[in-house]
Amino acid sequence: MSVIRYWEESFGFTASRPAARPAAPDPEIERLTRERAAAEQAAIEAARAADAARAESARVAAEQEASRRAAAIAEAARLHSPDIVCFQEIHQRLPWSGLENQPKRLERLLELPFYFYPPVNFGLGKYGIGIATRWKPSAIHK
């Protein structure tokens, strides 16, 4: 009988035993774990790149659509030669309209002075209403 067992049986004393040493890590499991982590990271980066490409494609499409709409509006105005044209939902340097300055673009396309009132500000961009007219306003109130 060992001394430790004698003490345990005689006095109800449980000797503390040294903790078991952890098994040495398996190099194959560590390699597979590293490969899996690298594959997951590559998949995340590929998904981010695909999202960025889709966002850029949507931004370019929105810019092209906005440009076509502005050109169509200007063509219709030139065709009918109105004295005044009123606009709503005009964007000035907003991301969803390709950071375009629509008031300046419409003024150039219509060849009319354009008066823009932006009651809504989004950081550097603005959103509001506008009037293109052949007549000079007597007063502008904001």
Side-chain angles (χ1 to χ4, degrees):
M1 173 184 291
S2 74
V3 175
I4 294 175
R5 181 177 254 175
Y6 171 78
W7 274 87
E8 287 176 346
E9 290 176 0
S10 300
F11 304 107
F13 174 75
T14 304
S16 62
R17 292 184 169 67
R21 288 178 128 186
D26 185 358
E28 181 66 13
I29 292 175
E30 286 185 347
R31 183 185 64 78
L32 291 172
T33 303
R34 281 192 306 273
E35 286 177 3
R36 182 175 181 189
E40 287 175 354
Q41 185 63 33
I44 289 169
E45 289 172 8
R48 285 183 182 149
D51 286 347
R54 278 192 295 275
E56 178 63 16
S57 177
R59 186 189 65 75
V60 168
E63 277 183 27
Q64 291 171 345
E65 179 62 25
S67 181
R68 282 192 295 270
R69 281 186 298 211
I73 290 168
E75 184 60 32
R78 276 196 297 271
L79 179 66
H80 297 287
S81 189
D83 291 328
I84 186 167
V85 183
C86 299
F87 295 90
Q88 61 185 17
E89 300 184 21
I90 299 294
H91 299 174
Q92 188 178 45
R93 295 185 307 270
L94 291 176
W96 49 86
S97 59
L99 300 175
E100 180 182 29
N101 188 342
Q102 288 180 347
K104 289 290 181 195
R105 180 171 171 80
L106 288 168
E107 182 174 49
R108 189 180 80 249
L109 290 172
L110 293 170
E111 299 172 352
L112 294 172
F114 195 94
Y115 301 93
F116 177 59
Y117 174 65
V120 180
N121 292 322
F122 293 104
L124 296 176
K126 298 175 181 177
Y127 177 84
I129 58 174
I131 297 174
T133 180
R134 295 187 191 289
W135 303 308
K136 182 177 172 99
S138 59
I140 298 175
H141 302 278
K142 294 186 179 186

